[in-house]
Amino acid sequence: TEGYGISCGNTRISYVYDSSTQALMTREQLTLAPAVFSVTWVDGDGNELTTEEVEAGTTPEYDGEIPTKTGTAEAFYTFAGWDKEITAAAEDVTYTATFTESVRAYSITLNVGEGELDGQTGEIVYSLEYGSVLTMPEPTRDGYTFLYWEGSQYFAGDEYTVDGAHTFTAVWEEEEESEPEPEAEAEVEV
């Protein structure tokens, strides 16, 4: 005995063929069952989240965790929906999560210590997007000369391309005090 199924629209007809008698079951013995389709949900990295069997005409619903997509140093991703409209099941279907991309911002810290930069002292923190360029500024400090930024050596005017969080510390050199030159004695003629 072998079992078979025939789908027609939203209806599935099941019947049994008995090879020993070469007969099908009678019409009264036929069973009508709704067609069933596979619905697969996929995340932003192409991984299957779940697959479910849904009867024809039933609208599937995803009820799992919010889909994700692995971020990079450059960007992070936010779930935006599915790649196609979710409709009543009429065939096997795969829904793939879609995402909006946002450029990552990183903290760039300039520690001027006892110096000053744009009226600020101590640590100055900037939030800059990945790939943006920061022209390294030149801080000031009374009695000192600014040499360079340490944490990677950058000089004032150098360009730093943001590729992650980074801290730079100002390196200073104390200026030498020059001794005043003695005043020349004035010659008086007599």
Side-chain angles (χ1 to χ4, degrees):
T1 304
E2 299 175 24
Y4 296 92
I6 299 173
S7 293
C8 181
N10 292 339
T11 304
R12 180 176 177 85
I13 301 172
S14 299
Y15 64 94
V16 175
Y17 172 73
D18 186 339
S19 59
S20 64
T21 62
Q22 297 183 345
L24 289 175
M25 295 176 69
T26 64
R27 184 177 190 101
E28 294 80 35
Q29 296 171 312
L30 292 178
T31 306
L32 298 179
V36 176
F37 299 105
S38 291
V39 176
T40 303
W41 306 91
V42 177
D43 71 12
D45 296 320
N47 301 312
E48 183 178 309
L49 298 168
T50 187
T51 295
E52 58 187 315
E53 299 298 316
V54 177
E55 287 187 4
T58 302
T59 302
E61 290 183 30
Y62 177 75
D63 61 359
E65 300 270 332
I66 295 173
T68 60
K69 179 175 181 174
T70 304
T72 64
E74 298 91 1
F76 64 94
Y77 300 93
T78 304
F79 176 66
W82 300 100
D83 64 332
K84 57 178 94 39
E85 182 181 354
I86 299 172
T87 59
E91 62 184 343
D92 292 343
V93 65
T94 298
Y95 293 102
T96 302
T98 61
F99 296 83
T100 55
E101 179 180 277
S102 300
V103 177
R104 280 192 198 279
Y106 290 97
S107 294
I108 304 300
T109 304
L110 301 179
N111 184 345
V112 296
E114 294 178 27
E116 185 177 302
L117 180 64
D118 298 328
Q120 298 180 15
T121 60
E123 289 190 345
I124 303 163
V125 180
Y126 298 94
S127 180
L128 300 174
E129 289 186 347
Y130 181 93
S132 62
V133 176
L134 171 66
T135 300
M136 301 303 290
E138 184 170 0
T140 58
R141 181 176 173 189
D142 288 337
Y144 289 82
T145 300
F146 171 75
L147 298 177
Y148 58 89
W149 292 102
E150 186 176 63
S152 291
Q153 190 167 329
Y154 282 84
F155 296 95
D158 286 353
E159 292 185 343
Y160 170 73
T161 301
V162 177
D163 62 358
H166 201 89
T167 298
F168 294 95
T169 303
V171 175
W172 304 96
E173 180 177 74
E174 189 170 7
E175 295 174 351
E176 292 183 23
E177 289 186 29
S178 57
E179 298 207 13
E181 293 186 24
E183 291 183 28
E185 293 183 25
E187 291 184 22
V188 180
E189 285 186 30
V190 192

